[in-house]
Amino acid sequence: MHPAPSVIIFSVLSGLGFGFMCFMALGFLPLRGMWAFWAWGIGYALAVGGLLAATAHLGNPQRAIKAFSQWRSSWLSREGWAAVLALLAMAPIALGDWLGFGVPFVWRGLAAGLALVTVICTAMIYTQIKAVPRWHHWLTPVMFTGFALAGGALLAMQATLAFVLLLALAVVMLAGNYIGDGQFARAGQTMNTATGLRGEVSVFEQPHTGGNYLLREMIFVVGRKHARKLRVIAVLCAAVLPALMAAVGGVGLMLAAVVVHLVGAFAARWLFFAQAEHVVGLYYGKR
Amino acid sequence: MTCLPGHTEKKLGLAIDLDTCVGCHACVTACKGWNDQGYGAPLSDQDAYGADPSGTFLNRVHSYSVQPDQGAAQIINFPRSCLHCEDAPCVTVCPTGASYKRVEDGIVLVNESDCIGCGLCAWACPYGAREMDVDEGVMKKCTLCVDRIYNENLPEEDREPACVRGCPTGARHFGDFADPDSKVSQLAAKRGGYDLMPDMGTKPTNKYLPPRPKDKRLDASLLAPLLDIEAKGFAGWLDRVLGKI
């Protein structure tokens, strides 16, 4: 699948933002006054900035409001609702932290829950796609949630929690790589099932000499050359190194760990798309 | 709502005969020609006469080489377009309700004024039936020529999809699969019409008719007996005399 920058930026930044706001809502980082204002500002900037980046992926972003209509069937629509509700639910908590009034814990819990639901909805957009076997696995929402919580804990300066969550994320990423590699074969789709033809099927001639949307969007093979190296970089930067930095602790090192984590998260999300193979590639004899 | 209808009155679709298709791409050009005008945004091309041309098409013809376990290899031409699935995954993923399946005839369509061009429906389709139009930023797909098949301004013989009308070998058949007596249902039953990637659970309406097995190699031309001309009458007498000299 084509790793569109807008979608990578969206899912990484929004995930981190909602994960961070989750911890903020639950009072893990008890800030007051202007410190609270800036911390919440970062949370909102990440979440909203990511969502805005996602609209760059659309062919007709001016009609984006229509995406709220199909929440009964579409995960993308549900994600839109969850994001808006989470951002709204967070608002009184953010104002309370800034201006110094209390918000009932039930409400804080609800807001944190909505933030997590948003991240899971994002993941489900990919998980639901049966035609991309690597994504069509329960590990996808686990991984997205893992990134949100681990990154959020780092940004919320929760050293111990971040250490544990980052190690868990490393395990999920490794499992995702290992299981993901076998997913296409397990889905059982071949050129034979795609065409229904018996015997040894190979491409004699492609249907068109130029490129098309399918080849650009779904049959992305460029840049997989360095996938192995990038995988190591992703796990090291997103999980292992920040975990070690969190173990040492200190505000400066934790902030540096967030940056390292983000580099790894971007590499991991790029791979999430670039390595995902769509079954339509079978018609072209490519994956 | 982009929920799928539980039942459609008709199941309009195509039966595509892989035995008859010669891979001439007439259906591709007929489709492109018809959908350049009329229904929705015209199918656009980018850099059409330049170094890197590409464009939106709703129908593509692949060519495969098939080597059976026994016997000679075969070339199979394979047209690929929307299968108008009963359980269409492209419809349910749509966040805006632009994608829908019609209750009356089962045609899967895109309401382009609602489409935000997110591309999720194209991801959800295992068959690559949907292509985003670069100029318009909306998703394009086969409409089963919904603007032809019910169009009373057209002569009756033209009220079928452009690809079917344009096929010079009669490899494409249009009809109602919900009616067991329809031409397409009969063809599919008789010829063992099958679904593409049935395990994907999409329940395609369109059926592919398998190529007939070639039981023997044809080393000599079928036209050979016609070339064996025997002269008769005066020409025959002359032939015999001249042969003896």
Side-chain angles (χ1 to χ4, degrees), chain A residues 87-164:
Chain A
L87 291 172
L88 287 176
M90 292 287 177
I93 308 170
L95 286 174
D97 285 358
W98 174 30
L99 303 172
F101 60 85
V103 176
F105 191 76
V106 179
W107 186 265
R108 289 172 169 271
L110 177 81
L114 281 169
L116 272 189
V117 167
T118 308
V119 174
I120 292 169
C121 284
T122 306
M124 285 310 293
I125 295 172
Y126 306 106
T127 311
Q128 69 176 337
I129 308 281
K130 222 176 166 183
V132 183
R134 187 184 277 270
W135 293 349
H136 192 60
H137 195 277
W138 55 265
L139 267 173
T140 303
V142 173
M143 190 195 62
F144 273 69
T145 318
F147 267 103
L149 288 180
L154 263 185
L155 203 52
M157 302 294 140
Q158 303 301 309
T160 319
L161 202 54
F163 177 74
V164 176

